[in-house]
Amino acid sequence: MKSLPDWLLHLENLHPKGQAGIELGLDRVSRVKAALQQRQDCPLIIVGGTNGKGSTCAYLEAIYSFAGFRVGCYTSPHLLDYNERIRVDRVPVDDELLCQAFARVEAARQSAGRVALTYFEFGTLAAWEVFAAAQVEVVILEVGLGGRLDAVNVYDADCAVVTGIALDHTEWLGLTRESIGFEKAGIYRAGKPAICADPEPPQSLLDHATAIGADLRLLGRDFGYFGDKTQWTFWARDTQRQGESALLRRGGLANPALRGACQLRNASAALAVIDVLKQQLPASMQAVRRGLIELELPGRFQVVPGRPTIMLDVAHNPQAVAGLADNLGNMGFFEKTIAVVGMLGDKDIAGALAALAGKIDLWLLAGLDVPRGAPAKVLAAVVEEGKLGGDVESFASPTEAFSCAAKRAGENDRILVFGSFYTVADVMRALKQPA
């Protein structure tokens, strides 16, 4: 039987474009899904959006686990190990079960006419095989890219969430929020709860939800939140009732374990799901409280214990880096901020880095030796031409850049590592190495 590294190499070589290959469409994955005879036997939640997908999935996964349900959760990309993508009861699937699932998908792929699945499509089908074998009671799938033509959309969501819409992946999804909003709304289904946590949803999303007859729930109209630095309250409107009795309130909630100003919005999106699925998947207030505070999500404004302060964040588009900049401003005083940055070349690098203008004392810019990786000199040009402030140095890899940062930082400084998942993963591996 093939080992996991063998299988992952196989996945990378199946599609002409390799692991980095993106080819949207549901035809290929539908054919292999049919060959696998996959069925939906439990409630399914699909989460899409430009930013906040991973956090919202993590809240749902934790809350339903604490509510006593067997939960399957599929997210991407991974940071250190592929197994992180497929979890049962919040634990990454082990190599043996993953390899068995890959083998079943491969056999079905062959029988369906040797379909050239992409890396993500193959993994999505394998995740479903893992969840079916584990007999999970609720499945949470995170959209990989867009929504309408993403592989997870081959399944029908009992509840679908769009966390927010911003400009990213414009090469595939279009150049405006309207075009991107339409793509993301593609995960909504007729007659099923369709949650949108974007405070200003594009008209295209609203129109699509109306056209298909989805049960659209909007942030600020149908659910929302308020609070202060110590606690917060979630509210939702009961569409079956009128007046004050139509409001559900979950108050006295501790602020989420995940850091950042955007997390109350992500947590509210998760609680909106809990509310609309309460008949099929009842969750107590105790499960909600524990799920919000007893979780970790590596690489999302993650602060590493010790001094100097080290922060890891996979922010890689303008909206996400703007949120990161806000979070930095709320951290208190540091003598110096050193940024270790590596990004993919097809991102809006100038738009993303502009949010940190005047906030970085030393930019340590890293090239990424992966498909689509931007050379360090491209990042340096953006910093210098954008007059973002601070000194600039270039390195061949995030590991080298971080090594320099560790040597240059005093104990009252902070090191910010952000950009591509590849950047954060490289530094995480370096941090795990013994000194």
Side-chain angles (χ1 to χ4, degrees):
M1 186 175 183
K2 288 182 181 175
S3 67
L4 182 55
D6 290 337
W7 273 115
L8 295 177
L9 185 62
H10 177 67
L11 267 63
E12 290 176 12
N13 293 330
L14 262 183
H15 192 271
K17 296 180 182 176
Q19 182 182 349
I22 295 172
E23 186 179 351
L24 298 179
L26 301 181
D27 176 64
R28 295 176 304 280
V29 73
S30 295
R31 285 159 58 195
V32 182
K33 174 177 179 279
L36 283 162
Q37 299 183 314
Q38 291 183 343
R39 303 190 318 271
Q40 293 184 215
D41 296 323
C42 67
L44 166 64
I45 302 160
I46 295 181
V47 182
T50 307
N51 298 303
K53 301 188 296 289
S55 300
T56 303
C57 288
Y59 292 128
L60 288 167
E61 181 184 24
I63 291 168
Y64 282 130
S65 290
F66 287 124
F69 294 102
R70 192 159 173 76
V71 182
C73 189
Y74 175 60
T75 59
S76 63
H78 60 277
L79 277 166
L80 301 180
D81 300 304
Y82 186 93
N83 312 58
E84 298 165 21
R85 295 180 179 225
I86 304 173
R87 300 184 296 278
V88 175
D89 292 336
R90 305 175 72 195
V91 177
V93 64
D94 65 38
D95 286 11
E96 183 179 358
L97 292 176
L98 188 50
C99 289
Q100 290 171 2
F102 283 155
R104 290 195 294 275
V105 174
E106 176 62 12
R109 187 188 75 82
Q110 295 281 354
S111 70
R114 301 177 65 84
V115 180
L117 293 172
T118 67
Y119 185 90
F120 183 76
E121 289 169 345
F122 202 112
T124 301
L125 292 164
W128 195 272
E129 288 296 299
V130 169
F131 299 151
Q135 297 183 306
V136 300
E137 297 166 296
V138 54
V139 172
I140 302 162
L141 301 179
E142 179 189 4
V143 170
L145 195 160
R148 181 175 66 94
L149 299 176
D150 186 81
V152 304
N153 203 35
V154 77
Y155 305 103
D156 290 318
D158 294 281
C159 177
V161 184
V162 174
T163 56
I165 297 106
L167 299 183
D168 200 5
H169 300 297
T170 52
E171 182 179 345
W172 295 279
L173 305 180
L175 298 172
T176 66
R177 287 185 79 241
E178 289 296 328
S179 62
I180 294 171
F182 173 75
E183 293 296 332
K184 295 195 182 298
I187 62 175
Y188 292 158
R189 292 293 188 270
K192 298 293 178 67
I195 291 164
C196 180
D198 191 299
E200 297 180 359
Q203 191 62 41
S204 60
L205 179 143
L206 305 177
D207 290 346
H208 180 72
T210 300
I212 66 170
D215 178 12
L216 185 61
R217 311 290 180 102
L218 297 177
L219 177 71
R221 185 190 75 179
D222 303 298
F223 71 96
Y225 61 92
F226 56 88
D228 54 34
K229 291 184 177 180
T230 58
Q231 61 181 24
W232 66 290
T233 296
F234 168 79
W235 63 267
R237 194 174 302 284
D238 187 336
T239 55
Q240 306 301 315
R241 298 183 183 181
Q242 300 293 322
E244 188 66 21
S245 65
L247 282 183
L248 159 87
R249 284 191 176 89
R250 295 180 187 265
L253 298 171
N255 282 320
L258 302 181
R259 295 177 172 89
C262 63
Q263 288 304 334
L264 285 185
R265 201 173 83 191
N266 296 335
S268 292
L271 293 193
V273 175
I274 303 296
D275 178 49
V276 298
L277 294 182
K278 59 180 177 280
Q279 297 302 320
Q280 297 127 289
L281 299 168
S284 67
M285 275 301 293
Q286 182 185 16
V288 168
R289 292 182 192 280
R290 289 189 67 187
L292 291 173
I293 63 173
E294 293 184 35
L295 81 165
E296 294 180 359
L297 190 58
R300 273 69 165 193
F301 206 65
Q302 176 186 355
V303 178
V304 179
R307 301 182 79 170
T309 297
I310 300 171
M311 287 157 297
L312 308 172
D313 200 301
V314 292
H316 57 253
N317 58 49
Q319 185 186 51
V321 181
L324 171 58
D326 287 342
N327 292 342
L328 291 175
N330 294 327
M331 284 186 68
F333 174 76
F334 292 86
E335 289 183 3
K336 195 165 57 179
T337 299
I338 301 172
V340 173
V341 191
M343 295 186 68
L344 297 180
D346 54 13
K347 299 299 178 183
D348 179 4
I349 297 173
L353 299 189
L356 291 170
K359 300 180 186 297
I360 305 298
D361 298 290
L362 175 59
W363 297 86
L364 303 181
L365 306 171
L368 294 179
D369 187 21
V370 297
R372 299 158 50 209
K377 64 182 179 183
V378 170
L379 303 180
V382 168
V383 173
E384 288 161 356
E385 292 169 11
K387 296 182 172 58
L388 303 186
D391 296 325
V392 176
E393 296 181 26
S394 297
F395 297 85
S397 71
T399 308
E400 291 178 31
F402 180 73
S403 177
C404 176
K407 291 171 184 170
R408 302 273 285 275
E411 65 173 25
N412 295 321
D413 297 336
R414 62 181 169 187
I415 301 171
L416 168 64
V417 180
F418 78 99
S420 166
F421 273 76
Y422 294 109
T423 304
V424 174
D426 276 5
V427 172
M428 288 179 75
R429 288 189 191 94
L431 288 168
K432 290 177 180 291
Q433 298 296 319

